[in-house]
């Protein structure tokens, strides 16, 4: 890498976090009109007027070109977002696989750090926006190497994942966490590059399709890497629904799946690197204002925003608001697998939720569009806490319904209904939060402001989930039955109990303790701090304006 090739540019856009889109912040500031050339001579001026007239006539016949002229770019964006969702879906399937191998909840907590990178993108997004090879392309400078690394990591995992999951000492959770954390980090970096490229790859008339490609592509990729993989990997599911002659393994194995997508990553990245060129802004394709502030200025701006009293208070509330839901959100699914629910059946329950997840934001936004969106957040809060208690009751009830052939159909209907109610409460709070973020963000620095608030919102969900998983084992009490003088207070003592012919029996499951404690904490937060959050809506707009711009 020669110093002359490494170009440093000013960072003109900030990244969004998953679950929230700030694309409109950038779309509103875009101007893709053609640039005009200097006019030193009268002849050139006349020629320019003629060309301008011709261009205007063409524009009158083509006010809105639609997607046909840019269908290739849209399909490329969609494909890149699908690739992004694959490692995320795989990472989401690993906890279910680990749970079926009876790992400890401390191991599950350690693996949960894999899901943190998408909530921390803000900290390295300015670097991705600012450092690149000018001759290779601003976004391709990051997209190509990150996707190559994703492909290589998948190929490496395809040769080692079996030994990591099936070693004699049990699954090697630390190594699995390190590898999948790198996959998530690279996918988050790829997301930064693809989102930035989407704003310049598409014309102003079609740039709105970028958010559609994002949501559809990432959802499809996650579905392929999670739901479809778990179904095809399950011998029980394949023998029941897809095979005539039963076999001991599924149609697809995890090494095969990783190898296939590793090859896809490498081949597709090579084709993009060779065949796809980025738009050159200097040649008149667009006037997108991509250079507004440097990397150092961006970090200073973030610090200035956080120091504001209203923002600091709001961020503190966001970081603590989801403690009450942590046990229900992070542990319930794993407990259902532990109780005997097939992991592939649990994953397939997400399929009928897709239409609901599409409709809910549209419906809820009607109630959050006014001046007090956090009122919806406040009203949905206690209902989500109650659903957490219902989840605990469902986990307790599950073993009593298990039959020789599995679980009855009405059980899955109840689980599906419970999950649907949970989604209603979750989306009510989520949409309300996003609406308030948009309402209070300083319009002069809207992208940076929104991304900061969205990052804090996601961190407020990540750290309680990790802690909830970590605390399940310490809060669980077990006794050794059938072996005198033995106990089950540790894994070593549990092994001695089994060796002496006994069995460890759970007398108090830490999940139920956590569920009650979390609901109590959540109620206290709702009564004490929830009202304080609602009062933030009464602050004047000047209280949310960054002093850097005053």
């Amino acid at each position: 890498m020669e110093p002359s090739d490494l170009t440093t540019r000013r960072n003109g856009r900030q990244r969004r976090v998953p679950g929230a889109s700030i694309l409109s912040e950038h779309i509103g500031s875009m101007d893709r009109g053609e640039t005009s050339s200097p006019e030193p001579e009268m002849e050139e001026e006349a020629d320019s007027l003629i060309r301008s007239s011709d261009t205007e006539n063409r524009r009158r016949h083509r006010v809105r070109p639609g997607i046909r002229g840019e269908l290739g770019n849209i399909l490329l964006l969609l494909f890149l977002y699908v690739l992004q969702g694959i490692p995320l879906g795989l990472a989401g399937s690993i906890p279910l696989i680990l749970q079926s191998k009876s790992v400890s909840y401390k191991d599950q907590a350690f693996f949960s750090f894999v899901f943190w990178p998408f909530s921390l993108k803000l900290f390295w997004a300015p670097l991705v926006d600012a450092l690149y090879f000018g001759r290779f392309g601003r976004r391709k400078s990051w997209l190509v190497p990150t996707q190559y690394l994703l492909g290589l990591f998948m190929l490496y995992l395809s040769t080692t994942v079996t030994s990591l999951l099936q070693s004699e000492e049990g699954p090697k959770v630390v190594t699995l966490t390190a590898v999948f954390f790198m996959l998530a980090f690279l996918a988050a970096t790829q997301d930064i590059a693809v989102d930035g490229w989407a704003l310049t790859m598409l014309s102003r008339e079609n740039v709105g399709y970028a958010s559609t490609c994002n949501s559809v592509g990432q959802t499809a990729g996650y579905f392929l890497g999670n739901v479809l993989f778990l179904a095809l990997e399950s011998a029980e599911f394949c023998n029941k629904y897809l095979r005539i002659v039963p076999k001991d393994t599924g149609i697809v194995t995890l090494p095969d799946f990783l190898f296939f997508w590793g090859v896809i990553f490498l081949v597709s990245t090579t084709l993009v690197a060779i065949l796809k060129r980025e738009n050159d802004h200097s040649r008149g394709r667009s006037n997108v204002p991509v250079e507004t502030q440097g990397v150092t200025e961006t970090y200073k701006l973030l610090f200035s925003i956080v120091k504001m009293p209203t923002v600091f208070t709001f961020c503190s509330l966001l970081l603590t608001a989801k403690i009450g839901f942590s046990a229900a959100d992070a542990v319930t699914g794993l407990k259902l697998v532990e109780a005997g629910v097939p992991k592939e059946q649990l994953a397939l329950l997400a399929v009928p939720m897709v239409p609901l997840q599409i409709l809910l934001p549209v419906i809820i936004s009607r109630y959050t569009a006014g001046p007090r969106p956090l009122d919806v957040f406040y009203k949905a809060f206690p209902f989500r806490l109650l659903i957490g208690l219902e989840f605990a009751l469902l986990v307790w009830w599950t073993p009593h319904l298990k039959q020789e052939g599995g679980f009855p159909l009405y059980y899955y209907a109840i689980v599906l209904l419970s999950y649907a109610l949970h989604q209603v409460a979750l989306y009510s709070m989520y949409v309300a939060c996003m609406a308030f973020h948009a309402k209070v963000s300083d319009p002069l620095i809207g992208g940076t402001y929104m991304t900061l608030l969205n990052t804090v919102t996601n961190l407020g969900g990540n750290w309680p989930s990790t802690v909830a998983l970590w605390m399940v084992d310490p809060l669980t009490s077990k006794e050794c039955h059938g072996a005198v003088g033995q106990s089950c207070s540790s894994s070593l003592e549990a092994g001695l109990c089994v060796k002496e012919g006994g069995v460890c029996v759970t007398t108090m499951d830490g999940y139920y303790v956590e569920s009650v404690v979390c609901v109590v904490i959540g109620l206290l937060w709702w009564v004490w701090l929830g009202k304080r959050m609602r009062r933030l809506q009464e602050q004047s707009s000047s209280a949310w304006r960054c002093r850097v711009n005053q």
Side-chain angles (χ1 to χ4, degrees):
M1 178 186 299
E2 296 180 3
S4 61
D5 288 339
L6 185 61
T7 309
T8 303
R9 292 288 185 270
R10 296 178 181 271
N11 173 40
R13 61 187 296 275
Q14 285 306 317
R15 300 292 313 109
R16 61 166 186 80
V17 295
S21 175
I22 59 169
L23 192 58
S24 57
E25 296 289 336
H26 310 293
I27 296 172
S29 65
M30 294 177 65
D31 179 11
R32 297 190 67 91
E34 296 181 2
T35 58
S36 58
S37 57
E39 304 172 353
E41 303 291 343
M42 294 298 294
E43 293 85 353
E44 293 181 8
E45 181 175 356
D47 291 342
S48 177
L49 289 173
I50 293 172
R51 288 193 299 269
S52 177
S53 177
D54 291 340
T55 301
E56 185 65 27
N57 289 334
R58 288 195 299 270
R59 286 180 178 175
R60 287 176 181 175
H61 291 89
R62 182 176 53 84
V63 176
R64 190 175 179 84
I67 65 173
R68 182 171 298 178
E70 294 187 295
L71 186 59
N73 288 337
I74 291 175
L75 291 176
L76 175 60
L77 280 178
L78 184 64
F79 178 71
L80 292 176
Y81 282 121
V82 169
L83 290 182
Q84 183 186 122
I86 296 296
L88 301 181
L90 281 172
S93 67
I94 295 299
L96 298 178
I97 295 175
L98 292 176
Q99 192 67 15
S100 65
K101 297 181 181 298
S102 302
V103 301
S104 69
Y105 282 93
K106 286 188 177 180
D107 288 335
Q108 293 280 13
F110 191 77
F111 189 84
S112 70
F113 284 107
V114 166
F115 306 107
W116 284 53
F118 263 81
S119 298
L120 301 173
K121 291 184 298 182
L122 177 65
F123 296 108
W124 70 88
L127 298 176
V128 176
D129 275 343
L131 303 176
Y132 57 92
F133 289 102
R135 283 183 283 184
F136 188 56
R138 181 176 189 177
R139 305 304 175 185
K140 286 171 63 178
S141 297
W142 289 91
L143 176 73
V144 171
T146 53
Q147 289 199 169
Y148 270 134
L149 288 174
L150 279 166
L152 292 174
F153 266 104
M154 287 186 173
L155 291 179
Y156 163 75
L157 267 177
S158 69
T159 62
T160 60
V161 70
T162 302
S163 61
L164 293 176
L165 287 171
Q166 299 178 1
S167 64
E168 294 182 357
E169 299 81 12
K172 298 181 179 179
V173 177
V174 174
T175 306
L176 285 168
T177 302
V179 176
F180 276 95
F181 184 90
M182 282 303 304
L183 284 177
F185 174 80
L186 291 170
T189 305
Q190 188 253 26
D191 180 54
I192 299 170
V194 174
D195 279 1
W197 198 1
L199 297 178
T200 57
M201 185 185 296
L202 302 180
S203 64
R204 182 174 62 179
E205 292 84 359
N206 293 322
V207 76
Y209 289 105
S211 60
T212 304
C213 293
N214 186 319
S215 58
V216 174
Q218 196 175 96
T219 301
Y222 192 92
F223 179 86
L224 291 173
N226 187 277
V227 179
L228 185 63
F229 162 70
L230 288 174
L232 297 181
E233 186 262 350
S234 169
E236 180 182 352
F237 179 87
C238 293
N239 292 336
K240 186 175 181 180
Y241 298 105
L242 303 177
R243 284 178 176 150
I244 299 176
V245 180
K247 295 184 179 180
D248 295 333
T249 60
I251 294 176
V252 174
T253 64
L254 183 54
D256 293 340
F257 194 83
L258 286 165
F259 181 82
F260 172 80
W261 284 107
V263 172
I264 293 294
F265 265 91
L266 295 179
V267 173
S268 61
T269 303
T270 301
L271 293 175
V272 169
I274 296 174
L275 301 178
K276 182 62 180 176
R277 297 185 62 183
E278 290 192 40
N279 296 338
D280 189 347
H281 300 289
S282 64
R283 296 182 181 179
R285 266 296 303 266
S286 63
N287 288 327
V288 182
V290 295
E291 303 184 19
T292 58
Q293 57 191 27
V295 177
T296 304
E297 287 78 4
T298 299
Y299 288 117
K300 289 181 179 178
L301 179 59
L302 291 171
F303 185 66
S304 299
I305 296 172
V306 173
K307 288 195 303 182
M308 297 165 57
T310 50
V311 175
F312 184 82
T313 300
F314 186 49
C315 288
S316 300
L317 293 172
L318 289 176
L319 287 173
T320 55
K322 297 180 182 177
I323 295 177
F325 317 125
S326 56
D329 292 352
V331 189
T332 299
L334 301 178
K335 278 295 178 181
L336 290 177
V337 174
E338 182 182 324
V341 180
K343 59 183 184 298
E344 63 277 3
Q345 296 288 354
L346 204 59
L348 286 171
L349 290 178
V351 177
M353 288 294 103
V354 173
L356 181 66
Q357 292 168 342
I358 294 174
L359 291 175
L360 279 176
V362 178
I363 298 173
I364 296 169
S365 61
R366 298 179 182 179
Y367 302 94
T368 59
R372 299 181 63 86
L374 290 183
D375 287 354
V376 176
F377 180 96
Y378 183 80
K379 292 175 182 178
F381 197 97
F383 289 101
R384 189 172 171 185
L385 290 175
L386 291 176
I387 292 171
L389 288 179
E390 190 268 338
F391 276 2
L393 182 62
L394 181 65
V395 171
W396 172 82
W397 189 43
T398 296
H400 299 82
L401 296 178
K402 189 174 182 180
Q403 302 173 355
E404 185 175 349
F407 290 87
L409 185 61
Y410 70 84
Y411 169 78
Y412 290 110
I414 293 173
V415 174
L416 189 63
L417 177 62
S418 301
Y419 187 39
L421 293 174
H422 176 263
Q423 292 295 292
V424 172
L426 184 150
Y427 271 85
S428 297
M429 297 176 62
Y430 166 73
V431 174
C433 254
M434 294 303 105
F436 187 70
H437 294 176
K439 177 177 179 290
V440 302
S441 294
D442 190 334
L444 295 179
I445 50 173
T448 304
Y449 211 120
M450 281 278 286
T451 303
L452 172 65
L453 295 180
N454 293 341
T455 298
V456 174
T457 300
N458 281 273
L459 283 176
N462 279 340
W463 79 261
S465 295
T466 299
V467 173
L469 287 167
W470 199 279
M471 292 300 297
V472 171
D473 287 336
L475 293 174
T476 299
S477 298
K478 295 182 178 181
E479 293 181 354
C480 180
H481 290 183
V484 180
Q486 301 295 330
S487 67
C488 297
S489 56
S490 67
S491 58
L492 179 61
E493 292 177 340
L496 292 175
C497 172
V498 175
K499 188 176 181 179
E500 294 294 327
V503 60
C504 288
V505 178
T506 300
T507 57
M508 176 60 70
D509 195 325
Y511 168 68
Y512 302 118
V513 178
E514 270 194 4
S515 297
V516 174
V517 171
C518 285
V519 169
V520 171
I521 294 175
L523 286 174
L524 292 175
W525 190 98
W526 182 64
V527 171
W528 180 41
L529 297 177
K531 294 179 180 179
R532 188 172 182 181
M533 178 178 276
R534 291 182 74 183
R535 287 197 296 269
L536 288 175
Q537 299 175 114
E538 302 169 2
Q539 295 285 340
S540 64
S541 59
S542 60
W544 300 92
R545 295 291 179 263
C546 186
R547 291 180 176 82
V548 172
N549 298 310
Q550 293 180 355

